[in-house]
Amino acid sequence: MTYRRALIPALAGGALLTLLMLWAGASVQALQLQGAGNVFDIESANALRILLSPWSYSEVGGGGPYTDLYRTAMQIRFVTLFLFFLAGALLLLRRLPPVQGRTPATLLALWAWAPVAATLAVTVSAPWLIASRGHGSFRVLPQLAGVIASGAPVAVFAGLLTAPVTVVVARVMDKEAEPLPRRSVPPLAARLAASAGTAVVALSLVVLSYQSVAAWIQTSFPGEGLLSEPGDLLREWLLLGAWSDPTTSPLGDWLMYRAADVLVLAVVWWALRLLPALLTETTAPAMAAGAVCATVLGLLASELLRWAMDDTNTVRGPVSLLTGLGGGVPAALTFGVVAGIAAVVTLRLAGHRKTADSSG
């Protein structure tokens, strides 16, 4: 699929995602209406208000110049949300067009890209938002980490509508294109590439997220002045989850959370195993974007598994599912890019080695 053909569905998807996030932010005011108490209990309403507030124009504090700063932050947030989704959708539709059995993969990749675009947009606009609170000079990096962690959950659900619409428009735009069969990739090379990429993701999920290592990351970089406590920001960008020691919790609970972590790695490995054959061309940017989406999908699957196995959710209600989704996206972006590059390098080295062996 050419970039020219991919531009219109990418524009449609970016516009729809932006409108959905604007609508979600505007819904914060609806939660304050008198009848809202008949739909949500107080705890659920407060949780929804916290989740939607990063996308709301109504959450203005301080007044005066702070109001202008907040509005500037929100304008930057929505514009960059559109641009980041547009860029990612263009790349994914170009290298992973929704034809010839690729449609489910394209759909899942675009869905996973929505929270990634939201996280990037929140990150770019964070300095203006922090300044609008009136105490931007106090512990900037911990504030930045908190802002970054707040933007993805709503985008997960907005992506459920954005991805299908983008795929439908792409299929309409490319309905006269010639069939694109899957590329032939040596099975051993594909497995080695998937294993190399999964090992990179496992570094964050298993090693860096381990309780003692995570604590060391967060406390070993004290910092001073404006850049105090950089460990908070590093933890946000490096940790996919939280490994707990079996001695601090019942063995059954520990095994339950480990099953969710295994699911993350299984999703990443399987996606990276299939990705080289699905891509029209195995380039480093395409593999990196695909690995990021695979990691996000793994995290979403693990959160759904944890939610399904958690007995307290029957009391907390379905809002608890919304609060859990979207965590770890900054780390997924970091290690997903590295995993994709490691996978494509391994794939090419394995391919060159097979070629040399066959010619010799």
Side-chain angles (χ1 to χ4, degrees), residues 86-293:
L86 173 64
L90 272 175
L91 177 61
L92 291 171
L93 291 173
R94 174 74 173 96
R95 298 302 179 191
L96 192 63
V99 293
Q100 288 291 325
R102 292 179 170 91
T103 301
T106 309
L107 189 65
L108 290 173
L110 290 171
W111 177 40
W113 188 255
V116 175
T119 298
L120 291 172
V122 168
T123 302
V124 171
S125 61
W128 286 269
L129 183 68
I130 293 173
S132 70
R133 295 171 176 172
H135 47 80
S137 61
F138 176 69
R139 301 178 72 237
V140 174
L141 294 182
Q143 289 188 73
L144 184 60
V147 172
I148 291 170
S150 65
V154 181
V156 172
F157 285 85
L160 287 174
L161 181 59
T162 301
V165 170
T166 307
V167 167
V168 169
V169 176
R171 288 183 69 94
V172 171
M173 293 299 301
D174 208 33
K175 61 181 180 180
E176 298 180 357
E178 297 180 357
L180 293 172
R182 290 191 179 188
R183 298 173 64 249
S184 178
V185 179
L188 178 59
R191 288 193 292 268
L192 289 174
S195 300
T198 305
V200 173
V201 176
L203 174 65
S204 173
L205 186 66
V206 178
V207 179
L208 298 181
S209 296
Y210 190 70
Q211 195 174 44
S212 59
V213 179
W216 177 83
I217 291 173
Q218 194 164 11
T219 59
S220 295
F221 303 91
E224 295 180 358
L226 293 177
L227 303 181
S228 62
E229 299 184 28
D232 289 357
L233 185 59
L234 287 173
R235 184 186 180 101
E236 188 66 38
W237 283 98
L238 296 179
L239 273 63
L240 288 176
W243 272 77
S244 57
D245 196 305
T247 59
T248 61
S249 61
L251 181 59
D253 294 341
W254 185 83
L255 291 175
M256 179 186 71
Y257 278 91
R258 297 298 71 79
D261 294 332
V262 170
L263 180 60
V264 174
L265 298 180
V267 170
V268 172
W269 189 91
W270 186 252
L272 292 179
R273 167 69 178 82
L274 298 178
L275 194 58
L278 293 173
L279 294 174
T280 56
E281 184 178 352
T282 312
T283 62
M287 285 292 291
V292 170
C293 294

